[in-house]
């Protein structure tokens, strides 16, 4: 065990999994010599060579599409998408091919494929680099979607994703790459997909988030506690499979829920969580489920992004109002 | 290979050809007579299937599908250059004989177009990608398969089929470019059959030939007479040999013609030029092979007759077998979606089962 | 006024709008000589020529992308996407360019662009042709999304979309092209976006749907009425803008709601409606909001699609259970 | 045009050049001295801006941005071939001088990279698309603009800039192909600056030249020395004239080099070859133009000095003006998203305003 930043945990996982299984290959834009624009693959090409860590031509469609082919041929590719926004360029490969190959071939072709991608805002990246686009992928049957918030989970869940015979979209909070730091085993381990993580126990309200928002919400819960509101914080970590039981158990206990997402309001994954919670916990709910999100506008340039992405203040204020109004 | 390689020139390229329509040979083919007999069998078999399935479709007893009519030499000639035990095919949707030769059962094909998901099932060991409906999406995948085989030390190659229409998609470009960079052993087999539904070749691109695009990716390009079984085989076999030897990718433009409708729902009389069609019908690829064999004195009317009877029986068998398979239940919606299905999907499966039982 | 099928109404609208405004051009795959695979543009090339009705090379990205350029140059393009599934190939143009051009140019470039596309299942189309993918586009700020269920609305809302300076994704239920037939004015008219249509009034439960599902749900309501359940049926018609007030008013009255969509369960537009209804009508709800959808699996081949897409029986049975259990 | 057109050949193509580094002329340029002075001003102005903004960025007073350093001749030479009153530019993100010449204020550019959405504002009448971050996405749009101008009877053209990296995206292919089919008056100006972040040209494609790809779309292709202002202008002006006259599209490959970092967040020492870099620094495009003017006897040290002082002042003015603009409020999130905003978005605007007022 030792304290590691999220990016260190990811890099260590990649190195160890590549050491353990020679079928694991890494492909993407600038992943080789440069080690990735966030250095997630730093040192891997030097260690494993140019055939296992491959700088690709700049074309997301064929990066994903050839990754499918590599997997069919017997390898276990881990693809780095430089930013999740550029998944749009590969959307046909992701949504119709990656997610459906097993079904379309009736089980002939497994797809042990991981697509890692930094995502989310808060670090003043250029246009189209910061949007939290997870909802496109959680509405894509056949594709698993994971979005850890801690370095520990990043390592354990990435290892699990690499071991999986289903394709996994692995979302990394780029804001957390260097800011998030926690205790992570030095040796290989796996964290199963489909179980949420209770970041903090509480009795008045359940706060549900994932990825960078979990970290922020947990800080908000601290302040809420000072105000006398006991919030339970759930870090979903895995969006598909989703831990419906874990969510239900918490909301049944607290009777109130708020879902916090970075994405724009309409049609985000928060809507899905709300639809699920109202279905399972209808008779326990003391108030409407609260939705804290960005507005229905495109992710803006850096100088105003703090007005766009939900922050601690908003969570504290809106959750306080929720609890007080339904007390 | 160098004989057919697209060499930059200011002249339009004439398709490589070995066999005239009347069966006269212009060169030295490497296909043996045994191979030609075998190939002819696939050509006639699928022509038979196309006719039968089209008739059934008209009676509402078969789904919408796209026949290979007119393109049999193109598909069969190219697939015969592959070794099914180690080479891969990434098809579009109009290449039935190539699938059959590679090991995909005719029954599954029929089942697929009867709308049964089980029809998509590819037997273990058959190196085939699913039929591709989302045009061009298989091209990057084929490139990846080929590249992966090379990375793992196999000398297998991948061949992908796609149409003149599909070649306009971005996936075409991205794939050929990657193949050039990583020297993937992949054959890009472009069937220029004159049409993409109602869109003629002239609206698809202003290029003189599709094969010229190879230059822009640092790979080889060839144009071949797609109605000439021997020429298609020759060119593809050379591309395969080059790829196996580490020489990388080839773009083959097979110039042929879709002499049927786009699919059984299409009405080509709305857009097709009848003279053009007639000219191509006169270049029928099956007739050409039979003319060749007759000229050689190894083919008679009764051989032709017998082959057609055998094919009719085989088609009947497959269609009957497919039709005998009971309609799938709701399990067919859930099977094979995940290797390890999420709990929610498992619950949905139970819900669907229960509902089915009640109705 | 005269009875028209949906495809006739669409064709008539296109013809009339092209006659009225020479800036309106139609581009797409097979829209010219063939008149579109569903004949929506039949006769238009003959009438308006090859410069206003253009058969395009087979590439959805540049069909949408060049449409953006045509609009910037001063035209008003109406694009036919042959099937909505092939929007995936153009997803980067749709999601990042079409939807954001006005914002990114800070108002310099309007985008009077309509993208028409048949969508939805039930007619045994090949793989990847039938999925109801509206949720990708309702989660795309800047893009309006319309999904009429009647021939009348198809004509009126398409005219409105063509007149709009915002880009509109216009979804046409391919199942309804020839099956749906109703009274449509012969002259030009416009139906504003953002108001739902009450297909049937009722008091026990509100059934919410759009596109082909509205027609099916309305038939189910007939049967429910025979069973003594009075269902109010809302055809949303316009998904963005969404008529939140109209939905709220109905659910406040009935106290129960079910949302019916063709798309797969997780993360569909139904989830958004549920999240919205529980927010606005929490204290009126007598039961959890019901969600009737396809399962979380890819749209299957034709022989089993009737098991996949929600049908009248399911709606009748599940809504009956909802009403009875919460009576 | 025919002098530069890419003629298919088995030889690699040498970039078209007019000016040697020492200022010696190899041919007959059509740029007048007045134009060259004006062009030089844009080159020095943006070099000055790049240096100033990079310094500010290091102090945390400016955002991440990509400088045009080393590529000034390529960008300025090409943009000078356009008539801003009727021609359009669809930029990538590294073409500041072209934007300025076309009428986009330097202040807006500074504002944009300070993260203010208002910086994206394009003045009415300026025929410019927004900066493009999603690589290659502007190429289809430029094709559409050009085609639309033609359909409406204008003789305006569109020119789009993009990098060697961006050329690997499917959008490149689909656009050039469409341009060939509809004969759109568009100039595809590919800046081959050797790199896409850390990815060298050799990994981007195995093609000998990017310009060769033009063949596969039935359009013209040219390779030009991108560090030669006169040659770039010459070739682009010819392409523009051809397009105006109805001759369709041209792909211009401008061979140049990014002598700075990819952007202010990048550390090229991790991947760049120092010798290669030094060789290109020695081909500095600004020096080359000044050498030319000196040789002609129309440029002195004091002219050079004065130009730099004027540019420094202009940059200071723009940056000061941009910095003086107050931070935007939450309205900046909502403005210009829709021409006719849905009720829900209007409500959100109010909510955001109220929240802002309270904090
Ligand atoms: C991405 C995509 N766009 C559109 C379609 C609809 N479509 C099906 S077949 C076809 C024409 C294909 O032409 P081509 O690639 O030449 O193949 P051919 O049918 O001639 O064999 C079209 C447009 C599709 N299936 N996929
Ligand atoms: C579609 C897309 N993929 C990836 C990126 C990330 N990215 C930004 S710049 C860049 C390199 C671009 O290289 P090139 O097109 O040659 O332009 P240059 O920076 O050299 O001018 C990359 C990969 C992006 N912005 N857009
Ligand atoms: Mg074709
Ligand atoms: Mg570059």
């Amino acid at each position: 065990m030792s304290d590691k930043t999220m990016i260190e945990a990811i890099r260590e996982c990649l190195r160890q999994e590549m050491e353990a299984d020679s079928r694991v290959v890494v492909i993407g834009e600038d992943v080789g010599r440069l080690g990735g624009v966030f250095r997630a693959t730093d040192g891997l090409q030097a260690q494993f060579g140019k055939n296992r860590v491959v700088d690709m031509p700049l074309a997301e469609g064929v990066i994903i599409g050839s990754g499918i082919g590599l997997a069919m041929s017997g390898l276990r590719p881990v693809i780095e998408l430089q930013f999740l926004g550029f998944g749009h360029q590969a959307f046909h490969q992701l949504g119709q091919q990656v997610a459906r190959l097993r079904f379309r071939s009736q089980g002939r072709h497994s797809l042990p494929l991981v697509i890692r991608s930094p995502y989310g805002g808060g670090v003043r990246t250029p246009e189209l680099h910061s949007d939290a686009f997870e909802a496109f992928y959680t509405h894509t049957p056949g594709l698993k979607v994971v979005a850890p918030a801690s370095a520990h989970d990043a390592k354990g869940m990435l290892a699990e994703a690499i071991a999986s015979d289903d394709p996994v979209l692995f979302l990394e909070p780029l804001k957390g790459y260097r800011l998030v730091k926690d205790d992570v085993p030095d040796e290989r381990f796996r964290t199963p997909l489909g179980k949420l993580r209770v970041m903090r126990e509480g009795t008045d309200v359940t706060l549900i988030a994932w990825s960078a928002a979990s970290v922020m919400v947990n800080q908000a819960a601290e302040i809420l506690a000072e105000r006398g509101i006991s919030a339970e914080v759930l870090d979903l970590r895995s969006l598909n499979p989703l831990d419906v039981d874990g969510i239900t158990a918490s909301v049944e206990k607290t009777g109130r829920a708020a879902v916090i997402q970075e994405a724009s309001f309409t049609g985000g994954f928060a809507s899905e969580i709300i639809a699920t919670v109202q279905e399972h916990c209808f008779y326990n709910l003391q108030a409407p489920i609260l939705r804290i999100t960005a507005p229905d506008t495109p992710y803006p340039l850096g100088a105003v992004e703090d007005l766009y992405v939900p922050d601690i203040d908003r969570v504290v204020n809106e959750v306080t109002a929720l609890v007080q109004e339904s007390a | 290979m160098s004989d057919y390689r697209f060499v930059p020139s200011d002249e339009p390229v004439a398709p490589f050809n070995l066999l005239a329509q009347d069966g006269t040979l212009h060169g030295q083919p490497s296909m043996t007579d045994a191979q030609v007999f075998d190939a002819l069998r696939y050509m006639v078999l699928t022509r038979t299937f196309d006719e039968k399935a089209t008739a059934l479709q008209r009676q509402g007893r078969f789904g919408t599908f796209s026949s290979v009519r007119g393109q049999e030499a193109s598909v069969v000639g190219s697939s015969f250059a592959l070794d099914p035990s180690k080479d891969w095919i990434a098809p579009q949707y109009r290449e039935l004989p190539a699938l059959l030769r590679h090991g995909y059962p005719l029954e599954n094909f029929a089942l697929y177009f009867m709308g049964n998901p089980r029809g998509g099932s590819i037997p273990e060991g058959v190196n085939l990608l699913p039929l591709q409906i989302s045009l061009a999406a298989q091209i990057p995948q084929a490139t990846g398969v080929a590249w992966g085989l090379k990375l793992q030390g196999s000398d297998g190659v991948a061949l992908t089929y796609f149409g003149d229409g599909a070649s306009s998609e971005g996936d075409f470009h991205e794939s050929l470019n990657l193949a050039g960079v990583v020297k993937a052993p992949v054959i890009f087999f472009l069937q220029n059959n004159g049409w993409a539904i109602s869109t003629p070749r002239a609206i698809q691109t202003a290029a003189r030939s599709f094969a010229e695009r190879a230059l822009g990716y640092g790979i080889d390009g060839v144009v071949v007479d797609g109605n000439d079984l021997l020429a298609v085989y020759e060119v593809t076999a050379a591309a395969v040999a080059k790829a196996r030897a580490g020489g990388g990718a080839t773009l083959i433009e097979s110039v042929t013609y879709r002499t049927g409708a786009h699919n059984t729902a299409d009405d080509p009389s709305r857009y097709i030029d009848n003279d053009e069609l007639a000219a191509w019908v006169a270049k029928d690829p099956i007739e050409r092979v039979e003319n060749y064999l007759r000229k050689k004195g190894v083919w008679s009317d009764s051989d032709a007759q017998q082959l057609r009877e055998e094919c009719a029986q085989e088609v009947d068998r497959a269609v009957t077998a497919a039709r005998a398979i009971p309609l799938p239940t709701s399990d067919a919606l859930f099977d094979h979606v995940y290797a390890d299905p999420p709990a929610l999907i498992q619950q949905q499966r139970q819900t669907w089962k229960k509902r089915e039982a009640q109705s």
Side-chain angles (χ1 to χ4, degrees), chain A, chain B:
Chain A
M1 279 301 229
S2 63
D3 253 23
K4 297 183 178 86
T5 62
M6 180 168 275
I7 197 81
E8 285 163 355
I10 290 166
R11 195 186 304 132
E12 181 172 278
C13 175
L14 288 171
R15 186 168 48 71
Q16 291 177 343
E17 298 308 317
M18 292 186 76
E19 281 168 352
D21 186 344
S22 65
R23 296 171 303 171
V24 178
V25 296
V26 166
I27 69 173
E29 293 162 8
D30 304 296
V31 294
R33 186 95 170 255
L34 186 64
V37 289
F38 294 103
R39 310 288 183 266
T41 57
D42 199 16
L44 296 183
Q45 191 179 67
Q47 182 175 352
F48 298 105
K50 289 192 174 176
N51 278 344
R52 287 188 67 199
V53 182
V54 187
D55 280 322
M56 295 286 279
L58 207 166
E60 290 76 12
V62 77
I63 291 175
I64 305 291
S66 69
I68 297 172
L70 290 174
M72 278 189 279
S73 82
L75 298 172
R76 302 184 80 85
V78 179
I79 297 175
E80 180 174 300
L81 200 56
Q82 203 162 72
F83 290 89
L84 185 61
F86 308 129
H88 278 59
Q89 266 79 0
F91 203 60
H92 57 303
Q93 290 292 341
L94 282 163
Q96 302 191 332
Q97 306 294 321
V98 167
R100 298 182 181 202
L101 181 65
R102 168 176 282 271
F103 182 64
R104 296 178 57 240
S105 69
Q106 292 284 296
R108 167 69 177 83
H109 298 298
S110 293
L111 207 50
L113 182 74
V114 179
I115 296 144
R116 296 179 37 246
S117 185
Y119 102 122
V123 300
R124 311 275 182 274
T125 48
E127 271 191 312
L128 305 164
H129 283 64
S130 307
D131 305 72
F133 282 138
E134 67 272 35
F136 294 135
Y137 302 101
T138 47
H139 187 50
T140 296
L143 185 63
K144 293 184 172 173
V145 181
V146 178
S150 71
H152 187 285
D153 284 345
K155 183 172 178 187
M157 299 180 90
L158 180 54
E160 179 74 16
I162 293 173
S164 163
D165 280 338
D166 288 313
V168 180
L169 178 64
F170 192 84
L171 300 174
E172 303 169 0
L174 72 94
K175 190 179 178 180
Y177 270 150
R178 289 184 168 75
L179 285 180
V180 167
K181 192 168 190 165
D182 48 85
D183 241 19
V184 183
D186 298 325
E187 60 284 354
R188 293 173 70 206
F189 72 100
R190 291 205 218 150
T191 306
L193 312 184
K195 283 275 162 253
L196 59 76
R197 177 174 67 119
V198 180
M199 290 180 85
R200 178 188 185 100
E201 302 204 354
T203 52
D204 294 333
V205 59
T206 300
L207 307 184
I208 305 171
W210 55 92
S211 194
S214 296
V215 177
M216 181 273 286
V217 168
N218 204 34
Q219 291 164 352
E222 195 87 31
I223 300 177
L224 287 165
E226 288 164 19
R227 297 197 181 178
I229 293 173
S230 165
E232 180 144 310
V233 179
L234 308 184
D235 168 27
L236 293 182
R237 342 189 252 192
S238 167
L239 309 186
N240 175 23
L242 180 67
D243 187 357
V244 176
D245 292 344
I247 298 171
T248 305
S250 174
V251 179
E252 279 176 353
K253 182 175 75 175
T254 63
R256 296 184 192 89
V259 191
I260 300 91
Q261 75 182 8
E262 280 197 18
S264 55
F265 179 85
T266 297
F269 194 64
S271 311
E272 176 56 39
I273 299 296
I274 293 172
T276 297
V277 169
Q278 72 85 34
E279 180 188 342
H280 291 271
C281 310
F282 183 79
Y283 299 100
N284 301 96
L285 281 172
Q286 295 167 38
I289 305 156
L290 182 64
R291 187 159 29 152
I292 302 180
T293 78
D296 279 318
T297 64
Y299 200 101
L301 293 187
V304 281
E305 68 178 321
D306 293 343
L307 299 172
Y308 183 83
V309 177
D311 61 10
I312 296 181
D313 270 7
R314 262 191 81 186
V315 175
V316 169
N317 293 337
E318 298 188 21
V319 171
T320 302
L322 168 74
V323 174
Q324 285 172 352
E325 282 161 23
S326 60
Chain B
M1 197 64 200
S2 57
D3 288 331
Y4 330 113
R5 195 173 64 87
F6 177 80
V7 177
S9 108
D10 241 353
E11 302 298 304
V13 186
F16 178 74
N17 166 285
L18 283 173
L19 203 56
Q21 188 62 25
D22 67 1
T24 321
L25 211 51
H26 295 305
Q28 197 52 45
S30 56
M31 251 185 146
T32 63
D33 282 358
Q35 283 178 305
V36 176
F37 285 128
D38 197 14
L40 179 62
R41 213 187 132 273
Y42 280 102
M43 295 169 78
V44 173
L45 178 65
T46 49
R47 176 79 56 101
T48 311
F49 177 85
D50 284 339
E51 283 163 1
K52 168 103 184 178
T54 303
L56 285 173
Q57 199 277 340
R58 297 232 169 90
Q59 302 160 25
R61 294 158 72 203
F62 203 82
T64 300
F65 86 108
S66 293
S67 92
V68 65
R69 189 178 193 98
Q71 302 176 219
E72 291 93 345
S74 174
V75 175
V76 174
S78 49
S79 69
F80 265 62
L82 300 174
D83 176 349
S85 76
K86 60 180 171 188
D87 298 330
W88 286 65
I89 291 181
Q92 189 160 298
Y93 46 68
R94 200 188 288 286
E95 302 88 16
L96 172 58
L99 310 186
L100 297 179
R101 178 173 182 275
H102 229 65
Y104 182 64
L106 182 56
E107 181 183 324
N108 288 20
F109 190 82
L111 208 54
Y112 178 90
F113 285 105
M114 286 159 66
N116 189 325
R118 305 287 180 240
S121 170
I122 300 165
E124 207 48 53
V126 172
N127 296 325
L128 195 64
L129 271 64
L131 296 191
Q132 187 55 265
I133 302 295
S134 191
L135 287 164
Q138 77 281 16
I139 313 180
Q141 298 167 18
T143 307
V145 167
W147 179 25
L149 292 173
K150 177 178 147 177
L151 287 174
Q152 290 166 93
S154 156
D155 72 345
V157 308
L159 182 146
T160 179
Y161 291 104
F162 53 95
D164 46 313
S167 77
S168 296
E169 292 280 0
D171 276 337
F172 166 91
H173 168 74
E174 299 187 4
S175 304
L176 274 72
N177 192 45
L178 176 66
V181 172
V182 301
K183 280 209 157 224
V186 53
I187 290 94
F188 299 106
F189 197 89
L190 188 162
Q191 293 198 79
N192 171 3
N193 67 356
W195 297 94
I197 309 185
S198 74
T199 307
R201 151 69 173 88
I203 288 186
Q204 207 58 248
T205 185
R208 295 181 307 187
S209 77
F210 291 95
E212 271 166 275
R213 293 194 184 150
L215 278 178
Y217 307 113
I219 67 173
D220 287 332
V222 224
V223 186
V224 68
D225 176 347
N227 284 26
D228 176 345
L229 177 76
L230 302 180
V232 172
Y233 175 82
E234 205 69 20
V235 159
T236 315
V240 168
K242 187 193 71 170
R244 283 207 210 295
T250 304
L251 169 62
I252 300 176
E253 175 181 352
S254 172
V255 181
T256 177
Y257 204 83
R258 191 196 79 202
T259 56
H262 167 64
N263 63 24
T264 44
D266 178 43
D267 172 12
S269 74
R270 292 179 71 97
Y271 55 80
I272 216 143
D273 181 297
N274 278 326
D275 292 345
E276 186 181 276
L277 177 62
W280 278 95
V281 168
K283 298 187 210 172
D284 187 78
I286 295 181
E287 275 175 33
R288 196 182 298 190
V289 174
E290 289 191 292
N291 289 346
Y292 167 67
L293 294 176
R294 271 184 227 271
K295 265 219 156 75
K296 277 195 130 180
V298 295
W299 196 247
S300 68
D301 283 357
S302 78
D303 290 332
Q305 176 69 15
Q306 196 191 327
L307 175 59
R308 277 155 180 89
E309 276 161 21
E310 283 168 20
C311 288
Q313 280 166 18
E314 189 167 338
V315 167
D316 278 346
R317 249 194 325 270
V319 172
T320 308
R323 296 174 57 87
I325 289 176
L327 267 189
T329 66
S330 67
D331 276 335
L333 303 178
F334 297 93
D335 288 345
H336 307 299
V337 177
Y338 292 93
D340 176 19
L344 184 62
I345 281 83
Q346 296 182 32
Q347 288 159 20
Q348 290 176 355
R349 183 197 280 263
Q350 294 318 317
T351 307
W352 254 255
K353 249 193 164 63
K354 222 164 79 188
R355 188 183 311 130
E356 203 173 22
Q358 285 163 354
S359 72

